[in-house]
């Protein structure tokens, strides 16, 4: 099995770049829908793409960095919003779900590729991983956020959430297609990190 060399600087650079990517996607025009006007954005596409490319922990770190930048005042949330005031909006649950969703999507994507993934199967595996993150994390927490901050029953919030499903499926498919192309160009992204060997101990042992 191919291993990649550990590189803290490379990992930090990837985390920073993909946090910026999520921010850039968040600034695309949003479409408010439903009674609470929670917008349809490209954020979930960027989060899924980040996790599919970086894997669980770097994807988690990138989404956390993105949220941190927004909470400290940079206008990186949908519509140019910023600050911790977004946590009282009906959309807060979706935002807070991003790091957990990145963990789930990244873990499954990496697991699928390392265990089953051939180039021909990766697209379908990435779609499964992305939909799992949406079903298990993003939509449940989004519904909870709308219910709490929008002062409505969970059932009513769940009905409102249905409006976001078609777009999320399309965005997941797009993210998977892009991720496949990236992994084809950089096949070692999901390769296990090579163990660090102490050269002095090795030399002494050989001698």
């Amino acid at each position: 099995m191919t291993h990649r060399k550990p590189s803290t600087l490379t990992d930090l650079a990837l985390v920073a770049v993909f946090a910026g990517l999520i921010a850039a996607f968040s600034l695309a025009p949003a479409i408010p829908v439903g009674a609470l006007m929670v917008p349809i954005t490209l954020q979930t596409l960027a989060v899924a793409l980040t996790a599919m490319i970086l894997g669980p922990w770097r994807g988690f770190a990138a989404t956390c960095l993105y949220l941190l930048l927004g909470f400290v005042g940079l206008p990186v949330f949908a519509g140019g919003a910023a600050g911790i005031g977004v946590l009282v909006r009906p959309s807060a649950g979706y935002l807070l779900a991003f790091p957990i969703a990145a963990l789930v999507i990244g873990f499954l994507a990496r697991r699928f590729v390392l265990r089953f993934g051939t180039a021909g199967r990766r697209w379908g595996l990435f779609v499964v991983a992305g939909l799992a993150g949406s079903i298990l994390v993003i939509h449940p927490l989004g519904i909870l956020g709308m219910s709490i901050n929008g002062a409505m029953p969970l059932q009513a919030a769940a009905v409102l959430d249905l409006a976001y499903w078609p777009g999320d499926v399309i965005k997941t498919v797009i993210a998977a297609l892009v991720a496949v192309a990236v992994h084809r160009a950089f096949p070692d992204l999901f390769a296990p990190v090579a163990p660090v060997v102490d050269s002095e101990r090795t030399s002494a042992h050989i001698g």
Side-chain angles (χ1 to χ4, degrees):
M1 180 182 292
T2 302
H3 288 70
R4 64 181 177 88
K5 294 181 179 179
S7 174
T8 301
L9 288 178
T10 299
D11 289 341
L12 289 175
L14 287 171
V15 166
V17 166
F18 277 85
L21 177 72
I22 300 171
F25 276 49
S26 300
L27 298 180
I31 305 173
V33 298
L36 297 178
M37 302 298 284
V38 175
I40 295 175
T41 71
L42 294 181
Q43 287 170 305
T44 48
L45 190 160
V47 170
L49 181 61
T50 296
M52 291 175 189
I53 291 175
L54 297 187
W57 296 110
R58 290 179 297 184
F60 175 80
T63 50
C64 284
L65 177 59
Y66 161 71
L67 291 180
L68 179 62
L69 293 174
F71 291 153
V72 300
L74 294 181
V76 296
F77 296 139
I84 60 173
V86 298
L87 295 179
V88 300
R89 294 184 175 186
S91 59
Y94 294 102
L95 276 177
L96 294 178
F98 289 166
I100 306 172
L103 274 177
V104 172
I105 296 169
F107 172 81
L108 290 176
R110 187 175 188 275
R111 181 83 172 180
F112 287 158
V113 168
L114 293 181
R115 187 167 181 179
F116 310 111
T118 63
R121 294 179 182 175
R122 282 186 180 178
W123 176 79
L125 295 171
F126 285 161
V127 170
V128 170
L131 291 178
S134 286
I135 294 170
L136 298 176
V137 182
I138 293 178
H139 288 279
L141 289 183
I143 290 169
L144 184 62
M146 287 195 293
S147 177
I148 294 173
N149 291 345
M152 65 167 50
L154 279 172
Q155 185 175 1
V159 172
L160 286 181
D161 177 75
L162 292 176
Y164 307 105
W165 277 95
D168 273 7
V169 172
I170 293 172
K171 286 181 283 186
T172 298
V173 170
I174 294 172
L177 289 171
V178 175
V180 166
V182 172
H183 280 283
R184 187 178 295 118
F186 302 97
D188 293 337
L189 280 170
F190 278 172
V193 176
V196 178
V197 179
D198 189 325
S199 58
E200 292 183 2
R201 287 184 182 181
T202 303
S203 299
H205 179 73
I206 294 175

